[in-house]
Amino acid sequence: MSKLQSPRGTADLMPEDMAGHRHVIDTAKSCAGVFGFEEMATPIFEFTDVFARPLGESSDVVTKETYSFTDRGGEGLTLRPEGTAGVVRALISAGLTQTLPQKFYYQGPMFRYERPQKGRMRQFHQVGVELLGPTSPMADAEVIALGAMMLDQLGVLASCRLHLNSLGDAECRAAYRSALVAFLSGVKDQLSEDSQRRLDTNPLRILDSKDEGDRALIADAPLLGDYLNEASTAHIERVMEQLAAAGVAFERDPKLVRGLDYYCHTAFEFITSDLGAQGTVLGGGRYDGLAETLGGPNVAGVGWAAGVERLALLSGQAPRLDAPLVLIALPDAEGQMSTETQLFALANQLRQRGIRVEMPFSGNLGKQLKRADKLGARYVGIFGADEAAQKALVLRDMQDGSQTNLGLDAAVDHLSTLFQDQS
RNA sequence: GCGGGUGUAGCUCAGUUGGUUAGAGCGCCAGAUUGUGGCUUUGGAGGUCGCCGGUUCAAAUCCGGUCACUCGCCCCA
């Protein structure tokens, strides 16, 4: 086994992996397009503040999961751990806050310093969408419907459940938070070690604890739903109504809390049971305060991100290259390889018409036919001394072994139609 | 950062109570077949047994450490 390895938590995308990856990205992009989301990209690193401020100084993502460094000019930079903050920053930078709404789709690598396990890497990839401007619940519903369509087209929706919750606006979220902290502080001694720590850093997260003891305590805790004000209740009800109308199945999950500070109102996750502990396949929510936190104007927003690796693991087979035409050159009458040069010219003409053509680089006829078989070729063209004399190409059908002669003049047109019919 | 599991050929894996030259299947290369693939058959290449140290006459095997991968916790896509 070689000692040469990529750094921990990173992985090469070899062709078979890349096919699955590409399939997810292409599907996401085409679904986004139907909803009017156009692709954009932001830098892979930003000034550290871009992530530190909106994500919450104390959030785990910022305190222990970022790849941060100082560059040669002394700037504090951070490899992006998620996409939303960068997109909103770009919106503000470009002055697009004057021309709302804006709908963006993006895709690319993200970086989090974590212990890797299945479906969790230090460099991983996300596809995401952001809908900026509208405060309407329909924006939430639109974004969720888009996510559901993408998952459906990838064949993973059926094994996912959509969990939906409202975190309320800033006002009722704060009220609930203090009520929860008050309750939990009373039983602090009985909480798990992790949850005692979370009481300070992210108390809402305790609702989602996997510790048995915690779960029992939480059963009596105040519910977020009881603290929602009228506006917040109306908002989430409207979202649920529209999702139902669009045929998107969901379940209200009062314990769903997202880890990043900037979320408000609608929060949602599509969760699968097929990926061990890393069940969240797509997650997002509304983040109305984010733009202001970054120092921009007040711009509402809602969006989600989905893990490309996780989706690729779930969605199975992805399209690969078409079966090729294999052209085999044999020595001409003088024992030279002028045949190869003629075939190369033919290959190029066919390639210009979009046909995949392979010419083995060496080997006798037997070897090259074997190679053609491995490449999955249905048709093989053979061209040697006899064929050169007749100005013809032997076309072999690998399925039944039959062979026909094809005049060189007609070869390009004939093979073009043959391969177009095939696909 | 914390716990569990696993490291033997390119891949999937055997390898007995420690014993002499470490195996199989698949894959790869070549011959049988110098202009005809798949099937068959014969042969071949490919291994610091993750790494370092220890115990022993003797270590892939036992012990310690370390690294990597993996599963779970934390957190999240």
Side-chain angles (χ1 to χ4, degrees):
Chain A
M1 197 172 291
S2 169
K3 281 181 179 169
L4 266 187
Q5 289 175 316
S6 69
R8 179 173 221 191
T10 67
D12 301 308
L13 288 169
M14 300 307 279
E16 58 187 306
D17 313 307
M18 195 70 217
H21 195 96
R22 185 86 253 161
H23 181 55
V24 170
I25 293 170
D26 288 348
T27 304
K29 184 177 178 179
S30 99
C31 290
V34 170
F35 281 78
F37 288 68
E38 234 181 334
E39 183 163 13
M40 68 167 307
T42 63
I44 274 171
F45 56 87
E46 298 271 357
F47 292 122
T48 295
D49 277 356
V50 172
F51 302 116
R53 276 153 63 185
L55 297 188
E57 304 281 356
S58 65
S59 74
D60 276 24
V61 170
V62 167
T63 55
K64 63 175 197 188
E65 294 177 3
T66 49
Y67 280 91
S68 295
F69 59 99
T70 305
D71 74 4
R72 291 166 196 276
E75 300 284 8
L77 302 173
T78 293
L79 261 35
R80 62 184 186 191
E82 57 98 45
T84 304
V87 169
V88 173
R89 192 234 81 221
L91 176 92
I92 298 168
S93 301
L96 294 177
T97 52
Q98 298 297 310
T99 49
L100 298 171
Q102 293 287 338
K103 295 168 154 189
F104 298 125
Y105 158 77
Y106 64 87
Q107 152 273 319
M110 306 291 166
F111 305 85
R112 305 225 277 237
Y113 187 87
E114 294 183 283
R115 187 84 173 257
Q117 51 186 271
K118 181 193 279 188
R120 175 201 289 172
M121 302 293 284
R122 288 180 173 181
Q123 175 177 336
F124 62 105
H125 298 79
Q126 288 187 331
V127 293
V129 298
E130 311 294 351
L131 173 41
L132 297 150
T135 55
S136 162
M138 194 175 79
D140 308 40
E142 178 167 308
V143 145
I144 294 171
L146 163 51
M149 179 186 283
M150 178 190 75
L151 295 176
D152 188 35
Q153 290 192 11
L154 288 171
V156 308
L157 184 62
S159 57
C160 287
R161 299 165 78 102
L162 169 57
H163 292 236
L164 185 70
N165 195 20
S166 174
L167 306 175
D169 56 22
E171 179 191 312
C172 46
R173 192 178 171 184
Y176 174 68
R177 182 181 162 122
S178 50
L180 182 67
V181 170
F183 170 83
L184 291 173
S185 297
V187 294
K188 184 172 179 182
D189 295 347
Q190 302 164 56
L191 286 171
S192 69
E193 202 177 309
D194 282 327
S195 288
Q196 290 190 26
R197 181 178 51 76
R198 279 186 285 218
L199 197 49
D200 295 324
T201 57
N202 194 350
L204 298 194
R205 201 76 212 173
I206 298 176
L207 296 174
D208 200 28
S209 174
K210 280 159 189 141
D211 183 86
E212 293 289 337
D214 287 351
R215 284 179 173 281
L217 294 169
I218 293 162
D220 299 325
L223 291 173
L224 206 162
D226 296 338
Y227 285 77
L228 292 184
N229 55 28
E230 209 171 301
S232 296
T233 303
H235 186 100
I236 188 65
E237 281 179 353
R238 189 86 178 134
V239 172
M240 294 193 291
E241 183 185 315
Q242 297 195 333
L243 286 178
V248 177
F250 62 89
E251 56 196 78
R252 185 76 183 264
D253 178 357
K255 298 202 170 83
L256 173 65
V257 175
R258 310 222 70 232
L260 279 23
D261 276 8
Y262 53 62
Y263 286 108
C264 62
H265 289 295
T266 314
F268 55 92
E269 294 184 0
F270 285 85
I271 300 176
T272 177
S273 55
D274 297 345
L275 272 183
Q278 277 60 247
T280 300
V281 118
L282 181 154
R286 179 164 277 282
Y287 47 86
D288 292 347
L290 175 58
E292 254 179 327
T293 313
L294 282 171
N298 185 2
V299 178
V302 59
W304 52 253
V308 176
E309 283 83 356
R310 290 185 185 179
L311 289 175
L313 278 171
L314 293 169
S315 76
Q317 290 304 308
R320 303 290 292 271
L321 292 176
D322 294 335
L325 169 70
V326 173
L327 295 180
I328 300 175
L330 299 167
D332 60 25
E334 283 84 44
Q336 303 300 305
M337 290 303 286
S338 66
T339 46
E340 187 177 83
T341 304
Q342 291 181 67
L343 263 196
F344 187 71
L346 173 63
N348 217 40
Q349 288 181 66
L350 290 166
R351 285 163 174 162
Q352 280 170 349
R353 297 200 182 191
I355 297 167
R356 178 185 170 197
V357 181
E358 296 269 3
M359 288 181 65
F361 297 98
S362 63
N364 58 28
L365 181 57
K367 293 295 163 219
Q368 297 199 49
L369 280 170
K370 192 166 182 160
R371 178 78 188 144
D373 193 48
K374 292 230 168 80
L375 289 168
R378 167 79 191 271
Y379 297 104
V380 172
I382 302 169
F383 189 67
D386 299 347
E387 292 73 23
Q390 298 168 36
K391 295 193 187 314
L393 183 74
V394 168
L395 183 64
R396 177 179 179 81
D397 184 333
M398 297 291 275
Q399 236 164 52
D400 57 20
S402 65
Q403 299 190 159
T404 52
N405 270 28
L406 195 57
L408 277 186
D409 295 341
V412 172
D413 286 336
H414 184 91
L415 291 169
S416 296
T417 50
L418 186 63
F419 272 74
Q420 269 146 25
D421 292 348
Q422 199 179 234
S423 61

